[in-house]
Amino acid sequence: MSSWSFLYDEMYGPDDELEWVKQNGGFEYTPENNDYELTADGFTWPKQNDEVEKPKQYKNVYKYDEDKILEEVKEYISGTYRAHYNASNGIQTLDLIESCGDGAAFCRGNILKYASRYNKKGSARMDIKKIIHYAVLLYHFYGLDQETIERGYETF
């Protein structure tokens, strides 16, 4: 027996094993359980779950229900896109104000307006939602105002 035949036997097994493989459909390996799949590259990998695993939700992560408050604010903001401030062509008054370069200043002014009238006119909760909405817009416009060739788009 030469070293080459020994290497062949190590790589492919003795002839009787090779004969068994040929009789049983070739070299394809089918695992006994369904947790693995044979891929085109010939390797066996754990099956990929088509569903993206969602992060686990933990109870009481937010001490002050910030997640619920943010969801409420998100719904409020979404509603403003259906309100009378949004033209049928998608252009809002704020777009025109920003085209003059005054988007950040407009947002700061509205934050001050709603904060100064907090709980004096209308609903305190609605005033807070408006303050948060204009703060989000200010965050957006502040980044645009601070954009330079050297620094790129900057947020806080």
Side-chain angles (χ1 to χ4, degrees), residues 28-122:
E28 182 176 329
Y29 169 70
T30 306
E32 293 182 20
N33 64 27
N34 290 332
D35 295 337
Y36 294 90
E37 63 184 344
L38 185 70
T39 60
D41 57 8
F43 291 101
T44 304
W45 297 98
K47 282 190 177 177
Q48 298 295 317
N49 188 350
D50 290 341
E51 294 180 23
V52 175
E53 191 171 317
K54 295 179 181 176
K56 294 180 181 176
Q57 299 295 323
Y58 298 101
K59 291 184 178 182
N60 302 322
V61 170
Y62 299 103
K63 184 176 180 181
Y64 304 106
D65 293 328
E66 292 97 328
D67 56 334
K68 294 175 186 169
I69 293 168
L70 289 172
E71 189 60 38
E72 185 179 335
V73 169
K74 186 177 177 182
E75 288 176 20
Y76 164 74
I77 292 172
S78 294
T80 65
Y81 285 88
R82 295 183 296 273
H84 63 279
Y85 299 111
N86 193 13
S88 61
N89 61 4
I91 297 174
Q92 294 189 20
T93 305
L94 185 54
D95 296 324
L96 300 173
I97 294 168
E98 175 53 25
S99 70
C100 299
D102 294 333
F106 178 79
C107 294
R108 280 193 309 272
N110 278 309
I111 291 169
L112 293 171
K113 174 177 91 173
Y114 289 111
S116 66
R117 77 172 209 187
Y118 168 75
N119 205 20
K120 294 178 185 163
K121 180 180 173 187

